[in-house]
């Protein structure tokens, strides 16, 4: 009985402190849950938003998309299982090692014309055969082909050059000066040197880390 009285006395004495600690813990847990929900919404919002594709004044193809910014602690919870495995295989611990991640699907399309040059294609121990030679040497495409009509065969070597620049920066959505009060969004942008190349999809993830002392 005495022990119960002492316990009630201690609870009465330290009740304000216990209430404060309990409120602080509940507030922290609520904040953590809200951050998880916000991170889920951020990833979904960026994945559903269409990328912008255009040509600049120099005729270079450009692609722009918003970056998903999520808390590092929630990375394992937010990401899809296959994406999570892919990143972990490359960088290890997501929370500690990953700074940003991008996945890009690109394609190159176009047409070219080249003239034929008469030449002779000679096989070992066989009679020489007449052939047509095609050569194309452009900054973005290298093509060498040999067509042998007698055996109806085309032998070709080609190389497509995919040079591009990648930019990460912050930009306010909308047009200036009407967007002055809008929050800056993280942006990923690609500039392709190859005029026939473009990004078909672009998803970029950046982990926000808690500031230290």
């Amino acid at each position: 009985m005495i022990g119960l009285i002492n316990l009630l006395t201690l609870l009465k004495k330290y009740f304000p402190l216990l209430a404060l600690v309990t409120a602080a813990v509940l507030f922290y847990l609520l904040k953590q849950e809200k951050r998880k929900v916000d991170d889920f919404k951020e990833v979904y919002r960026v994945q559903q938003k269409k990328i912008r594709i255009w040509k600049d004044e120099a005729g270079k193809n450009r692609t722009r998309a918003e970056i998903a910014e999520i808390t590092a602690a929630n990375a394992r919870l937010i990401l899809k299982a296959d994406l999570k495995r892919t990143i972990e295989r490359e960088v290890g611990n997501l929370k500690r090692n990953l700074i940003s991640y991008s996945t890009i699907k690109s394609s190159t399309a176009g047409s070219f014309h080249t003239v034929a040059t008469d030449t002779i294609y000679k096989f070992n121990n066989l009679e020489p055969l007449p052939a047509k030679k095609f050569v194309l040497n452009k900054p973005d495409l290298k093509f060498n082909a040999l067509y042998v009509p007698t055996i109806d065969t085309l032998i070709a070597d080609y190389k497509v050059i995919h040079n591009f620049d990648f930019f990460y920066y912050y930009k306010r959505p909308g047009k200036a000066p009407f967007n002055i009060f809008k929050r800056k969004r993280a942006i990923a942008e690609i500039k392709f040197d190859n005029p026939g190349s473009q990004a078909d999809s672009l998803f970029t993830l950046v982990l926000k880390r808690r500031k230290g002392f």
Side-chain angles (χ1 to χ4, degrees), residues 21 32 42 53 64 71 94 104 126 135 149-150 161 177 191:
V21 171
Q32 292 292 95
E42 174 71 359
I53 301 174
R64 179 184 295 162
T71 308
L94 290 180
I104 308 162
L126 293 176
V135 177
T150 310
I161 293 86
K191 182 185 73 174

Side-chain angles (χ1 to χ4, degrees), residues 5-156:
I5 294 174
N6 290 336
L7 179 60
L8 291 174
T9 302
L10 287 173
L11 288 175
K12 183 178 180 181
K13 181 178 180 181
Y14 294 106
F15 179 77
L17 179 61
L18 290 173
L20 184 63
V21 171
T22 302
V25 171
L26 291 175
F27 177 77
Y28 174 78
L29 294 176
L30 181 63
K31 192 174 180 181
Q32 292 292 95
E33 290 301 315
K34 183 179 182 303
R35 191 174 291 152
K36 290 179 187 178
V37 173
D38 290 343
D39 286 346
F40 269 114
K41 289 181 178 178
E42 174 71 359
V43 171
Y44 179 80
R45 182 186 68 83
V46 170
Q47 285 180 326
Q48 298 303 311
K49 196 163 186 177
K50 291 184 179 179
I51 61 175
R52 183 193 168 198
I53 301 174
W54 79 101
K55 285 185 181 290
D56 60 17
E57 295 178 355
K60 306 293 186 181
N61 278 336
R62 287 180 178 261
T63 301
R64 179 184 295 162
E66 287 190 10
I67 295 173
E69 296 181 278
I70 67 171
T71 308
N74 293 334
R76 290 183 60 85
L77 301 173
I78 307 302
L79 301 182
K80 294 180 180 179
D82 53 345
L83 178 58
K84 189 164 54 182
R85 285 194 298 268
T86 299
I87 302 176
E88 285 181 334
R89 185 169 60 248
E90 298 296 331
V91 304
N93 189 300
L94 290 180
K95 183 178 177 181
R96 294 181 182 178
N97 299 342
L98 184 66
I99 297 173
S100 69
Y101 166 82
S102 295
T103 176
I104 308 162
K105 294 180 180 178
S106 65
S107 60
T108 301
S111 61
F112 62 87
H113 299 84
T114 181
V115 296
T117 303
D118 291 324
T119 186
I120 295 296
Y121 191 79
K122 186 174 182 179
F123 290 95
N124 292 333
N125 303 322
L126 293 176
E127 291 294 324
L129 298 175
K132 296 286 187 180
K133 187 176 183 181
F134 301 86
V135 177
L136 188 66
N137 189 13
K138 298 176 66 177
D140 55 302
L141 176 63
K142 313 293 183 185
F143 181 81
N144 289 278
L146 193 69
Y147 176 63
V148 186
T150 310
I151 57 176
D152 195 21
T153 299
L154 176 69
I155 304 170

